PDB file of all heavy atoms in Angstrom:
ATOM      1  N   ILE A 178     112.026 101.757 141.820  1.00 94.00           N
ATOM      2  CA  ILE A 178     113.323 101.455 142.299  1.00 94.00           C
ATOM      3  C   ILE A 178     114.313 102.350 141.514  1.00 94.00           C
ATOM      4  O   ILE A 178     114.374 102.277 140.308  1.00 94.00           O
ATOM      5  CB  ILE A 178     113.721 100.002 142.074  1.00 94.00           C
ATOM      6  CG1 ILE A 178     112.693  99.035 142.718  1.00 94.00           C
ATOM      7  CG2 ILE A 178     115.119  99.705 142.585  1.00 94.00           C
ATOM      8  CD1 ILE A 178     112.671  99.095 144.205  1.00 94.00           C
ATOM      9  N   ILE A 179     115.030 103.229 142.241  1.00 95.00           N
ATOM     10  CA  ILE A 179     115.954 104.142 141.588  1.00 95.00           C
ATOM     11  C   ILE A 179     117.340 103.815 142.018  1.00 95.00           C
ATOM     12  O   ILE A 179     117.673 103.757 143.182  1.00 95.00           O
ATOM     13  CB  ILE A 179     115.595 105.621 141.978  1.00 95.00           C
ATOM     14  CG1 ILE A 179     114.163 105.939 141.538  1.00 95.00           C
ATOM     15  CG2 ILE A 179     116.572 106.579 141.368  1.00 95.00           C
ATOM     16  CD1 ILE A 179     113.643 107.306 141.984  1.00 95.00           C
ATOM     17  N   LYS A 180     118.232 103.598 141.078  1.00 95.00           N
ATOM     18  CA  LYS A 180     119.569 103.131 141.319  1.00 95.00           C
ATOM     19  C   LYS A 180     120.551 103.974 140.557  1.00 95.00           C
ATOM     20  O   LYS A 180     120.438 104.254 139.372  1.00 95.00           O
ATOM     21  CB  LYS A 180     119.745 101.692 140.886  1.00 95.00           C
ATOM     22  CG  LYS A 180     121.176 101.124 141.076  1.00 95.00           C
ATOM     23  CD  LYS A 180     121.512 100.913 142.496  1.00 95.00           C
ATOM     24  CE  LYS A 180     122.767 100.055 142.725  1.00 95.00           C
ATOM     25  NZ  LYS A 180     123.984 100.655 142.117  1.00 95.00           N
ATOM     26  N   ARG A 181     121.592 104.521 141.324  1.00 94.00           N
ATOM     27  CA  ARG A 181     122.703 105.205 140.667  1.00 94.00           C
ATOM     28  C   ARG A 181     123.742 104.116 140.236  1.00 94.00           C
ATOM     29  O   ARG A 181     124.230 103.421 141.117  1.00 94.00           O
ATOM     30  CB  ARG A 181     123.351 106.203 141.578  1.00 94.00           C
ATOM     31  CG  ARG A 181     122.559 107.463 141.763  1.00 94.00           C
ATOM     32  CD  ARG A 181     123.387 108.506 142.516  1.00 94.00           C
ATOM     33  NE  ARG A 181     122.626 109.681 142.849  1.00 94.00           N
ATOM     34  CZ  ARG A 181     122.715 110.826 142.160  1.00 94.00           C
ATOM     35  NH1 ARG A 181     123.506 110.872 141.110  1.00 94.00           N
ATOM     36  NH2 ARG A 181     122.026 111.859 142.531  1.00 94.00           N
ATOM     37  N   VAL A 182     123.962 104.013 138.988  1.00 94.00           N
ATOM     38  CA  VAL A 182     124.841 102.943 138.482  1.00 94.00           C
ATOM     39  C   VAL A 182     126.286 103.374 138.587  1.00 94.00           C
ATOM     40  O   VAL A 182     126.635 104.505 138.537  1.00 94.00           O
ATOM     41  CB  VAL A 182     124.469 102.547 137.035  1.00 94.00           C
ATOM     42  CG1 VAL A 182     123.075 101.886 137.022  1.00 94.00           C
ATOM     43  CG2 VAL A 182     124.511 103.749 136.137  1.00 94.00           C
ATOM     44  N   ASN A 183     127.145 102.348 138.735  1.00 92.00           N
ATOM     45  CA  ASN A 183     128.591 102.602 138.793  1.00 92.00           C
ATOM     46  C   ASN A 183     129.268 102.001 137.547  1.00 92.00           C
ATOM     47  O   ASN A 183     128.642 101.330 136.704  1.00 92.00           O
ATOM     48  CB  ASN A 183     129.172 102.008 140.098  1.00 92.00           C
ATOM     49  CG  ASN A 183     128.916 100.548 140.276  1.00 92.00           C
ATOM     50  OD1 ASN A 183     129.086  99.763 139.307  1.00 92.00           O
ATOM     51  ND2 ASN A 183     128.545 100.188 141.496  1.00 92.00           N
ATOM     52  N   ASN A 184     130.569 102.147 137.433  1.00 91.00           N
ATOM     53  CA  ASN A 184     131.262 101.746 136.242  1.00 91.00           C
ATOM     54  C   ASN A 184     131.241 100.207 136.105  1.00 91.00           C
ATOM     55  O   ASN A 184     131.234  99.674 134.992  1.00 91.00           O
ATOM     56  CB  ASN A 184     132.763 102.222 136.258  1.00 91.00           C
ATOM     57  CG  ASN A 184     132.809 103.681 135.870  1.00 91.00           C
ATOM     58  OD1 ASN A 184     132.058 104.162 135.047  1.00 91.00           O
ATOM     59  ND2 ASN A 184     133.805 104.414 136.373  1.00 91.00           N
ATOM     60  N   THR A 185     131.271  99.452 137.233  1.00 92.00           N
ATOM     61  CA  THR A 185     131.245  98.035 137.137  1.00 92.00           C
ATOM     62  C   THR A 185     129.896  97.566 136.570  1.00 92.00           C
ATOM     63  O   THR A 185     129.802  96.702 135.688  1.00 92.00           O
ATOM     64  CB  THR A 185     131.449  97.384 138.522  1.00 92.00           C
ATOM     65  OG1 THR A 185     132.697  97.813 139.047  1.00 92.00           O
ATOM     66  CG2 THR A 185     131.456  95.894 138.486  1.00 92.00           C
ATOM     67  N   GLU A 186     128.827  98.119 136.989  1.00 95.00           N
ATOM     68  CA  GLU A 186     127.473  97.777 136.504  1.00 95.00           C
ATOM     69  C   GLU A 186     127.335  98.198 135.061  1.00 95.00           C
ATOM     70  O   GLU A 186     126.575  97.566 134.316  1.00 95.00           O
ATOM     71  CB  GLU A 186     126.370  98.488 137.310  1.00 95.00           C
ATOM     72  CG  GLU A 186     126.278  98.002 138.736  1.00 95.00           C
ATOM     73  CD  GLU A 186     125.376  98.843 139.629  1.00 95.00           C
ATOM     74  OE1 GLU A 186     125.658 100.060 139.686  1.00 95.00           O
ATOM     75  OE2 GLU A 186     124.437  98.356 140.193  1.00 95.00           O
ATOM     76  N   LEU A 187     128.056  99.202 134.634  1.00 95.00           N
ATOM     77  CA  LEU A 187     127.993  99.632 133.213  1.00 95.00           C
ATOM     78  C   LEU A 187     128.907  98.851 132.286  1.00 95.00           C
ATOM     79  O   LEU A 187     129.040  99.165 131.106  1.00 95.00           O
ATOM     80  CB  LEU A 187     128.371 101.168 133.160  1.00 95.00           C
ATOM     81  CG  LEU A 187     127.366 102.125 133.758  1.00 95.00           C
ATOM     82  CD1 LEU A 187     127.994 103.504 133.881  1.00 95.00           C
ATOM     83  CD2 LEU A 187     126.101 102.146 132.938  1.00 95.00           C
ATOM     84  N   GLY A 188     129.504  97.751 132.854  1.00 93.00           N
ATOM     85  CA  GLY A 188     130.346  96.918 131.956  1.00 93.00           C
ATOM     86  C   GLY A 188     131.748  97.325 131.852  1.00 93.00           C
ATOM     87  O   GLY A 188     132.501  96.805 130.949  1.00 93.00           O
ATOM     88  N   LYS A 189     132.207  98.259 132.720  1.00 87.00           N
ATOM     89  CA  LYS A 189     133.578  98.750 132.579  1.00 87.00           C
ATOM     90  C   LYS A 189     134.510  98.001 133.579  1.00 87.00           C
ATOM     91  O   LYS A 189     135.680  98.425 133.776  1.00 87.00           O
ATOM     92  CB  LYS A 189     133.644 100.256 132.822  1.00 87.00           C
ATOM     93  CG  LYS A 189     132.786 101.039 131.830  1.00 87.00           C
ATOM     94  CD  LYS A 189     132.814 102.510 132.043  1.00 87.00           C
ATOM     95  CE  LYS A 189     131.959 103.239 131.036  1.00 87.00           C
ATOM     96  NZ  LYS A 189     131.913 104.726 131.241  1.00 87.00           N
ATOM     97  N   GLY A 190     134.012  96.953 134.219  1.00 76.00           N
ATOM     98  CA  GLY A 190     134.867  96.155 135.125  1.00 76.00           C
ATOM     99  C   GLY A 190     135.566  95.045 134.285  1.00 76.00           C
ATOM    100  O   GLY A 190     135.535  95.036 133.067  1.00 76.00           O
ATOM    101  N   ARG A 191     136.191  94.133 135.029  1.00 76.00           N
ATOM    102  CA  ARG A 191     136.993  93.062 134.365  1.00 76.00           C
ATOM    103  C   ARG A 191     136.115  92.145 133.597  1.00 76.00           C
ATOM    104  O   ARG A 191     136.486  91.570 132.539  1.00 76.00           O
ATOM    105  CB  ARG A 191     137.777  92.321 135.428  1.00 76.00           C
ATOM    106  CG  ARG A 191     138.744  93.215 136.222  1.00 76.00           C
ATOM    107  CD  ARG A 191     139.484  92.387 137.229  1.00 76.00           C
ATOM    108  NE  ARG A 191     140.348  91.373 136.662  1.00 76.00           N
ATOM    109  CZ  ARG A 191     140.777  90.291 137.294  1.00 76.00           C
ATOM    110  NH1 ARG A 191     140.372  90.063 138.467  1.00 76.00           N
ATOM    111  NH2 ARG A 191     141.535  89.413 136.679  1.00 76.00           N
ATOM    112  N   THR A 192     134.845  91.879 134.026  1.00 77.00           N
ATOM    113  CA  THR A 192     133.963  90.934 133.379  1.00 77.00           C
ATOM    114  C   THR A 192     133.168  91.549 132.205  1.00 77.00           C
ATOM    115  O   THR A 192     132.602  90.768 131.453  1.00 77.00           O
ATOM    116  CB  THR A 192     133.021  90.300 134.425  1.00 77.00           C
ATOM    117  OG1 THR A 192     132.129  91.315 134.922  1.00 77.00           O
ATOM    118  CG2 THR A 192     133.759  89.664 135.529  1.00 77.00           C
ATOM    119  N   HIS A 193     133.048  92.857 132.244  1.00 86.00           N
ATOM    120  CA  HIS A 193     132.275  93.560 131.142  1.00 86.00           C
ATOM    121  C   HIS A 193     130.808  93.229 131.221  1.00 86.00           C
ATOM    122  O   HIS A 193     130.094  93.450 130.257  1.00 86.00           O
ATOM    123  CB  HIS A 193     132.824  93.302 129.742  1.00 86.00           C
ATOM    124  CG  HIS A 193     134.325  93.635 129.643  1.00 86.00           C
ATOM    125  ND1 HIS A 193     134.797  94.953 129.681  1.00 86.00           N
ATOM    126  CD2 HIS A 193     135.415  92.827 129.475  1.00 86.00           C
ATOM    127  CE1 HIS A 193     136.085  94.893 129.554  1.00 86.00           C
ATOM    128  NE2 HIS A 193     136.480  93.659 129.434  1.00 86.00           N
ATOM    129  N   GLU A 194     130.282  92.724 132.357  1.00 91.00           N
ATOM    130  CA  GLU A 194     128.896  92.462 132.468  1.00 91.00           C
ATOM    131  C   GLU A 194     128.122  93.755 132.757  1.00 91.00           C
ATOM    132  O   GLU A 194     128.643  94.666 133.404  1.00 91.00           O
ATOM    133  CB  GLU A 194     128.663  91.446 133.627  1.00 91.00           C
ATOM    134  CG  GLU A 194     129.275  90.125 133.345  1.00 91.00           C
ATOM    135  CD  GLU A 194     129.172  89.172 134.590  1.00 91.00           C
ATOM    136  OE1 GLU A 194     129.063  89.697 135.708  1.00 91.00           O
ATOM    137  OE2 GLU A 194     129.153  87.977 134.395  1.00 91.00           O
ATOM    138  N   LYS A 195     126.877  93.821 132.298  1.00 95.00           N
ATOM    139  CA  LYS A 195     126.067  95.028 132.466  1.00 95.00           C
ATOM    140  C   LYS A 195     124.772  94.651 133.244  1.00 95.00           C
ATOM    141  O   LYS A 195     124.038  93.760 132.790  1.00 95.00           O
ATOM    142  CB  LYS A 195     125.768  95.651 131.100  1.00 95.00           C
ATOM    143  CG  LYS A 195     127.009  96.064 130.334  1.00 95.00           C
ATOM    144  CD  LYS A 195     126.671  96.734 129.061  1.00 95.00           C
ATOM    145  CE  LYS A 195     127.983  97.125 128.319  1.00 95.00           C
ATOM    146  NZ  LYS A 195     127.736  97.804 127.025  1.00 95.00           N
ATOM    147  N   TYR A 196     124.507  95.337 134.339  1.00 96.00           N
ATOM    148  CA  TYR A 196     123.461  94.930 135.172  1.00 96.00           C
ATOM    149  C   TYR A 196     123.155  96.044 136.228  1.00 96.00           C
ATOM    150  O   TYR A 196     123.801  97.120 136.213  1.00 96.00           O
ATOM    151  CB  TYR A 196     123.834  93.629 135.942  1.00 96.00           C
ATOM    152  CG  TYR A 196     125.085  93.756 136.714  1.00 96.00           C
ATOM    153  CD1 TYR A 196     125.113  94.088 138.120  1.00 96.00           C
ATOM    154  CD2 TYR A 196     126.367  93.540 136.182  1.00 96.00           C
ATOM    155  CE1 TYR A 196     126.237  94.192 138.844  1.00 96.00           C
ATOM    156  CE2 TYR A 196     127.536  93.666 136.925  1.00 96.00           C
ATOM    157  CZ  TYR A 196     127.447  93.995 138.225  1.00 96.00           C
ATOM    158  OH  TYR A 196     128.622  94.130 138.979  1.00 96.00           O
ATOM    159  N   ILE A 197     122.218  95.811 137.051  1.00 96.00           N
ATOM    160  CA  ILE A 197     121.986  96.630 138.239  1.00 96.00           C
ATOM    161  C   ILE A 197     122.130  95.722 139.423  1.00 96.00           C
ATOM    162  O   ILE A 197     121.450  94.650 139.574  1.00 96.00           O
ATOM    163  CB  ILE A 197     120.530  97.222 138.278  1.00 96.00           C
ATOM    164  CG1 ILE A 197     120.389  98.275 137.126  1.00 96.00           C
ATOM    165  CG2 ILE A 197     120.264  97.953 139.612  1.00 96.00           C
ATOM    166  CD1 ILE A 197     118.976  98.790 137.028  1.00 96.00           C
ATOM    167  N   GLN A 198     122.967  96.069 140.335  1.00 94.00           N
ATOM    168  CA  GLN A 198     123.141  95.257 141.587  1.00 94.00           C
ATOM    169  C   GLN A 198     122.086  95.743 142.591  1.00 94.00           C
ATOM    170  O   GLN A 198     121.934  96.930 142.888  1.00 94.00           O
ATOM    171  CB  GLN A 198     124.536  95.433 142.189  1.00 94.00           C
ATOM    172  CG  GLN A 198     124.708  94.524 143.430  1.00 94.00           C
ATOM    173  CD  GLN A 198     126.099  94.596 143.959  1.00 94.00           C
ATOM    174  OE1 GLN A 198     127.016  95.133 143.371  1.00 94.00           O
ATOM    175  NE2 GLN A 198     126.302  94.122 145.150  1.00 94.00           N
ATOM    176  N   ILE A 199     121.370  94.817 143.161  1.00 93.00           N
ATOM    177  CA  ILE A 199     120.333  95.083 144.157  1.00 93.00           C
ATOM    178  C   ILE A 199     120.851  94.743 145.526  1.00 93.00           C
ATOM    179  O   ILE A 199     121.342  93.638 145.752  1.00 93.00           O
ATOM    180  CB  ILE A 199     119.028  94.280 143.879  1.00 93.00           C
ATOM    181  CG1 ILE A 199     118.563  94.522 142.438  1.00 93.00           C
ATOM    182  CG2 ILE A 199     117.979  94.597 144.891  1.00 93.00           C
ATOM    183  CD1 ILE A 199     118.149  95.936 142.190  1.00 93.00           C
ATOM    184  N   PRO A 200     120.732  95.680 146.470  1.00 91.00           N
ATOM    185  CA  PRO A 200     121.209  95.334 147.852  1.00 91.00           C
ATOM    186  C   PRO A 200     120.456  94.165 148.435  1.00 91.00           C
ATOM    187  O   PRO A 200     119.294  93.971 148.139  1.00 91.00           O
ATOM    188  CB  PRO A 200     120.867  96.610 148.632  1.00 91.00           C
ATOM    189  CG  PRO A 200     120.811  97.708 147.635  1.00 91.00           C
ATOM    190  CD  PRO A 200     120.253  97.043 146.360  1.00 91.00           C
ATOM    191  N   ARG A 201     121.125  93.380 149.217  1.00 89.00           N
ATOM    192  CA  ARG A 201     120.519  92.210 149.856  1.00 89.00           C
ATOM    193  C   ARG A 201     119.245  92.561 150.650  1.00 89.00           C
ATOM    194  O   ARG A 201     118.263  91.780 150.636  1.00 89.00           O
ATOM    195  CB  ARG A 201     121.510  91.451 150.746  1.00 89.00           C
ATOM    196  CG  ARG A 201     122.565  90.701 150.031  1.00 89.00           C
ATOM    197  CD  ARG A 201     121.948  89.433 149.427  1.00 89.00           C
ATOM    198  NE  ARG A 201     122.945  88.715 148.609  1.00 89.00           N
ATOM    199  CZ  ARG A 201     122.656  87.570 147.960  1.00 89.00           C
ATOM    200  NH1 ARG A 201     121.451  87.111 147.970  1.00 89.00           N
ATOM    201  NH2 ARG A 201     123.618  86.939 147.292  1.00 89.00           N
ATOM    202  N   GLU A 202     119.262  93.693 151.302  1.00 90.00           N
ATOM    203  CA  GLU A 202     118.148  94.097 152.160  1.00 90.00           C
ATOM    204  C   GLU A 202     116.945  94.659 151.382  1.00 90.00           C
ATOM    205  O   GLU A 202     115.926  94.936 151.958  1.00 90.00           O
ATOM    206  CB  GLU A 202     118.603  95.077 153.261  1.00 90.00           C
ATOM    207  CG  GLU A 202     119.016  96.420 152.742  1.00 90.00           C
ATOM    208  CD  GLU A 202     120.456  96.536 152.284  1.00 90.00           C
ATOM    209  OE1 GLU A 202     121.131  95.456 152.077  1.00 90.00           O
ATOM    210  OE2 GLU A 202     120.967  97.639 152.198  1.00 90.00           O
ATOM    211  N   LEU A 203     117.096  94.925 150.091  1.00 90.00           N
ATOM    212  CA  LEU A 203     116.071  95.542 149.344  1.00 90.00           C
ATOM    213  C   LEU A 203     115.105  94.504 148.732  1.00 90.00           C
ATOM    214  O   LEU A 203     115.568  93.666 147.924  1.00 90.00           O
ATOM    215  CB  LEU A 203     116.688  96.451 148.231  1.00 90.00           C
ATOM    216  CG  LEU A 203     115.658  97.168 147.330  1.00 90.00           C
ATOM    217  CD1 LEU A 203     114.797  98.145 148.126  1.00 90.00           C
ATOM    218  CD2 LEU A 203     116.412  97.961 146.233  1.00 90.00           C
ATOM    219  N   ASP A 204     113.857  94.619 149.033  1.00 87.00           N
ATOM    220  CA  ASP A 204     112.814  93.646 148.540  1.00 87.00           C
ATOM    221  C   ASP A 204     112.256  94.216 147.221  1.00 87.00           C
ATOM    222  O   ASP A 204     111.722  95.262 147.234  1.00 87.00           O
ATOM    223  CB  ASP A 204     111.735  93.490 149.570  1.00 87.00           C
ATOM    224  CG  ASP A 204     110.629  92.535 149.094  1.00 87.00           C
ATOM    225  OD1 ASP A 204     110.838  91.873 148.119  1.00 87.00           O
ATOM    226  OD2 ASP A 204     109.596  92.460 149.776  1.00 87.00           O
ATOM    227  N   ILE A 205     112.421  93.455 146.174  1.00 90.00           N
ATOM    228  CA  ILE A 205     111.852  93.858 144.829  1.00 90.00           C
ATOM    229  C   ILE A 205     110.920  92.750 144.302  1.00 90.00           C
ATOM    230  O   ILE A 205     110.668  92.723 143.093  1.00 90.00           O
ATOM    231  CB  ILE A 205     112.922  94.221 143.824  1.00 90.00           C
ATOM    232  CG1 ILE A 205     113.814  92.979 143.505  1.00 90.00           C
ATOM    233  CG2 ILE A 205     113.780  95.393 144.332  1.00 90.00           C
ATOM    234  CD1 ILE A 205     114.739  93.247 142.343  1.00 90.00           C
ATOM    235  N   GLU A 206     110.401  91.926 145.188  1.00 87.00           N
ATOM    236  CA  GLU A 206     109.540  90.815 144.731  1.00 87.00           C
ATOM    237  C   GLU A 206     108.219  91.348 144.145  1.00 87.00           C
ATOM    238  O   GLU A 206     107.622  90.611 143.326  1.00 87.00           O
ATOM    239  CB  GLU A 206     109.290  89.840 145.858  1.00 87.00           C
ATOM    240  CG  GLU A 206     110.541  89.029 146.243  1.00 87.00           C
ATOM    241  CD  GLU A 206     110.240  88.009 147.296  1.00 87.00           C
ATOM    242  OE1 GLU A 206     109.050  87.873 147.769  1.00 87.00           O
ATOM    243  OE2 GLU A 206     111.182  87.293 147.673  1.00 87.00           O
ATOM    244  N   GLU A 207     107.767  92.512 144.518  1.00 85.00           N
ATOM    245  CA  GLU A 207     106.483  93.052 143.932  1.00 85.00           C
ATOM    246  C   GLU A 207     106.775  93.244 142.419  1.00 85.00           C
ATOM    247  O   GLU A 207     105.852  93.123 141.620  1.00 85.00           O
ATOM    248  CB  GLU A 207     106.100  94.347 144.539  1.00 85.00           C
ATOM    249  CG  GLU A 207     105.969  94.305 146.069  1.00 85.00           C
ATOM    250  CD  GLU A 207     107.171  94.944 146.700  1.00 85.00           C
ATOM    251  OE1 GLU A 207     108.294  94.726 146.243  1.00 85.00           O
ATOM    252  OE2 GLU A 207     106.941  95.658 147.741  1.00 85.00           O
ATOM    253  N   MET A 208     107.981  93.627 142.064  1.00 89.00           N
ATOM    254  CA  MET A 208     108.342  93.932 140.669  1.00 89.00           C
ATOM    255  C   MET A 208     108.803  92.684 139.911  1.00 89.00           C
ATOM    256  O   MET A 208     108.505  92.414 138.713  1.00 89.00           O
ATOM    257  CB  MET A 208     109.386  95.017 140.591  1.00 89.00           C
ATOM    258  CG  MET A 208     109.553  95.650 139.254  1.00 89.00           C
ATOM    259  SD  MET A 208     110.613  97.071 139.370  1.00 89.00           S
ATOM    260  CE  MET A 208     109.656  98.244 140.301  1.00 89.00           C
TER     261      MET A 208
END
């Protein structure tokens, strides 16, 4: 799974949370 991260995911948004957002249509249950 390859994701280009954005500033919000990097914690530069209002909440300062750091994560990877997964699209609703993307199945990652194998992982």
Side-chain angles (χ1 to χ4, degrees):
I178 304 294
I179 300 174
K180 177 70 166 63
R181 284 188 185 261
V182 292
N183 58 44
N184 281 329
T185 303
E186 292 169 305
L187 291 169
K189 299 179 182 180
R191 299 178 66 201
T192 63
H193 304 292
E194 296 174 335
K195 298 182 181 182
Y196 57 94
I197 294 174
Q198 183 177 348
I199 304 297
R201 284 287 177 183
E202 67 273 17
L203 179 61
D204 180 11
I205 63 170
E206 290 185 359
E207 308 102 319
M208 195 171 293

